Amino acid sequence: MALLFAQRLQVPVVMTDLDQARVDKGLAYAHAEIDKMAAKGRVNGDKANRLKGLITGSVTKEAFADADFVIEAVFEDMKVKQQVFAEVEQVVREDCVLATNTSSLSVTEMASGLKHPERVVGFHFFNPVAVMPLLEIVRAEQTDDPTLATAFVVGKSLKKSSVLVKDAPAFVVNRLLTRFLGEVTTAYDEGTPFEVADRALDPLGLPMSPFTLLQLVGPAVAYHVSETMHEAYPDRFYVSANLKKIVEAGKTAIWTYDSGTPEIDPEVAELFEQGDAPLSEEQVRDRALTALAQETQLMLDEGVVAEAQDIDLCMLLGAGWPFHLGGITPYLDRSGVSEKVNGKRFLPAGVASLP
Ligand code: 3HC
């Protein structure tokens, strides 16, 4: 995120963290990414040095005193995020916007203890931040119009496509990803072989298999999001017992490619426990698609976004779903899943080339 802001807005960016070692690690990562861009010929030596000079680090939040826009991306814990915003509010100017990159927590609750909750807005990026074009902009209950408008202008200047979403648990992309990943991990937990569960969604043409995506997001983030979702909607969202185990053991990788084909990392395999009720590939796919159709309809009923096409756009730009299939709702309509699950289609005939 620091690199994106420096590169697109050409403004100084300061990153803070708990201690100097963490600050240095963050800076080293940003500098290494700039070196990679230089090696690819995307920036020349001068530009690379200028970009590196724009990004600095600090262990105190005093560094935000003259900031226009502060974005928090700390641990997914409401209390920690509230505390960080309270500290930042002590330091920043009256007109500074406070943005949160939370994956699933309530932006309204996060802002509730502040003197000026109206300047807090959700600003949710997708991994890898440099690559995925989507930004979910979350209007919390108190967010005022100038803050929301600023968020959209900043999003556009960052060359992202912004979609306005309601302050509902996990917004759009993470809600759908968590729902269908929950079905896949549960199928595994119940006894479905890893490779069967992992390739069950291949016909959808997604850029990554479910377990690869879990690894990209990071097991800890995926676990915390699934906890938030389970709390909000206990009937539909599961917390995988196996995911919990590997997070508690501090594992960041789920599978390895060491043998030439993807397989569960042997250390992780030792921690995992499976039941004895395996599903076939088709059954896993059916469960996942049914879940997606149900959740998409519920999101539209709740007004999380204005219309079905917003959900399609979010999944295309935030989760890399294949453009040529038009997004999730045309897929569910074409495959007949929408009618089976919800008794109706999402889109009328003719839209997104639907017959
Ligand atoms: N960091 C920076 N750049 C990266 C990168 C990374 N981790 N991974 C890939 N890239 C860059 C590559 O350098 C390459 O750039 P170049 O064109 O300048 O050389 C470009 O991305 C394309 O890379 P590849 O050709 O290697 O990769 P693919 O075509 O296989 O695409 C992908 C990679 C874009 C990651 C694709 O697999 C994808 O879209 N996956 C789905 C990702 C997804 O679902 N993200 C959302 C997760 S949910 C989330 O993040 C929310 C949070 O709250 C949890």
Side-chain angles (χ1 to χ4, degrees), residues 40 42 103 124 126-128 131-132 174 207-208 213 217 318-319:
K40 284 182 189 171
R42 300 260 160 87
S103 296
H124 186 213
F126 295 85
N127 291 306
V131 185
M132 306 313 284
N174 279 346
M208 286 182 162
L213 185 59
V217 169

Side-chain angles (χ1 to χ4, degrees), residues 233-291:
Y233 310 110
D235 302 344
R236 308 194 306 277
F237 287 84
Y238 317 111
V239 179
S240 161
N242 282 324
L243 190 58
K244 184 172 183 204
K245 274 191 202 149
I246 62 168
V247 172
E248 281 171 353
K251 301 277 172 214
T252 52
I254 298 171
W255 57 267
T256 140
Y257 208 69
D258 286 353
S259 68
T261 48
E263 57 186 9
I264 292 198
D265 183 290
E267 284 180 27
V268 168
E270 255 178 48
L271 296 169
F272 276 179
E273 275 174 38
Q274 275 194 300
D276 53 7
L279 298 183
S280 69
E281 235 174 272
E282 204 182 356
Q283 285 169 318
V284 178
R285 186 160 56 247
D286 192 50
R287 260 169 78 159
L289 288 175
T290 300

